[in-house]
């Protein structure tokens, strides 16, 4: 959901804040008042190179982590599955998550079709991680892929309504 946007906004704000501090620091360095004899040469500030930001490590499954800590990995798995097949089915999501190390016995998925045997407008899927839920949704009616980390429902499940049996 908004989590992907929030993460990119936070990264952008951190980069902007860091750059502003660097510019301010360099600007203030040139504002010092010289002291002493005018014939004494004053040291010059040599330009420094801006450090190249290191690329963030790829997300990974944190078996002891919270759902929120595992959400970036969950997202990376589903994003890769959607890149391979933009019209992925519920089984495709579950298979991708299992291949990535999530426990199939903790997963739920909604049907790919409606009760009128039409393609579903969106498919929801989830995996429980340490008593919490990672929930994903994809489809035209949901505006593409979205995800969230959330507490389980009172029923102990992650998804509302009927889900299909994961018996493959």
């Amino acid at each position: 959901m908004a989590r992907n946007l929030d993460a990119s906004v936070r990264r952008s704000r951190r980069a902007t804040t860091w750059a502003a501090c660097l510019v301010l620091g360099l600007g203030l360095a040139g504002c010092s008042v010289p002291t002493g004899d005018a014939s004494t040469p004053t040291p010059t500030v040599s330009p420094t190179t801006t450090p190249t930001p290191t690329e963030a490590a790829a997300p990974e499954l944190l078996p002891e982590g919270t759902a929120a800590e595992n959400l970036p990995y969950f997202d990376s798995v589903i994003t890769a599955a959607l890149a391979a097949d933009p019209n992925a089915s519920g089984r495709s999501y579950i298979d991708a998550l299992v291949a990535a190390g999530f426990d199939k016995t903790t997963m739920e998925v909604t049907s790919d079709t409606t009760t009128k045997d039409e393609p579903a407008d969106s498919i929801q899927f989830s995996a429980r991680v340490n008593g919490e839920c990672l929930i994903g949704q994809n489809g035209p009616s949901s505006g593409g892929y979205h995800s969230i980390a959330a507490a389980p429902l009172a029923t102990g499940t992650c998804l509302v309504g009927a889900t299909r049996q994961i018996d493959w």
Side-chain angles (χ1 to χ4, degrees), residues 128-150:
R128 283 186 310 283
V129 175
N130 297 319
E132 299 175 303
C133 299
L134 290 167
I135 302 170
Q137 177 177 359
N138 187 53
S141 71
S142 61
Y145 173 66
H146 301 282
S147 65
I148 189 170

Side-chain angles (χ1 to χ4, degrees), residues 2 6 11 30 39 43 51 66 74 78 88 96 98 113 116 119 123 135 149 166 168:
D6 289 345
R11 281 192 297 273
S39 63
T66 65
F74 183 85
I78 298 304
V98 168
T113 58
K116 294 183 178 185
I123 300 170
I135 302 170
I166 300 175
W168 59 86

Side-chain angles (χ1 to χ4, degrees), residues 144-166:
Y145 173 66
H146 301 282
S147 65
I148 189 170
L153 301 169
T155 60
T157 61
C158 296
L159 300 180
V160 174
T163 58
R164 65 188 258 202
Q165 178 103 14
I166 300 175

Side-chain angles (χ1 to χ4, degrees), residues 47-81:
T48 59
T49 58
T50 305
T52 305
T54 57
E55 193 170 311
E60 60 185 45
L61 181 62
L62 304 171
E64 302 303 317
T66 65
E69 291 170 333
N70 280 292
L71 187 58
Y73 184 63
F74 183 85
D75 287 342
S76 71
V77 171
I78 298 304
T79 301

Side-chain angles (χ1 to χ4, degrees), residues 3-25:
R3 177 153 174 85
N4 291 338
L5 178 60
D6 289 345
S8 65
V9 168
R10 283 194 305 273
R11 281 192 297 273
S12 175
R13 285 183 182 156
R14 275 196 301 259
T16 302
T17 302
W18 185 85
C21 289
L22 179 63
V23 169
L24 181 62

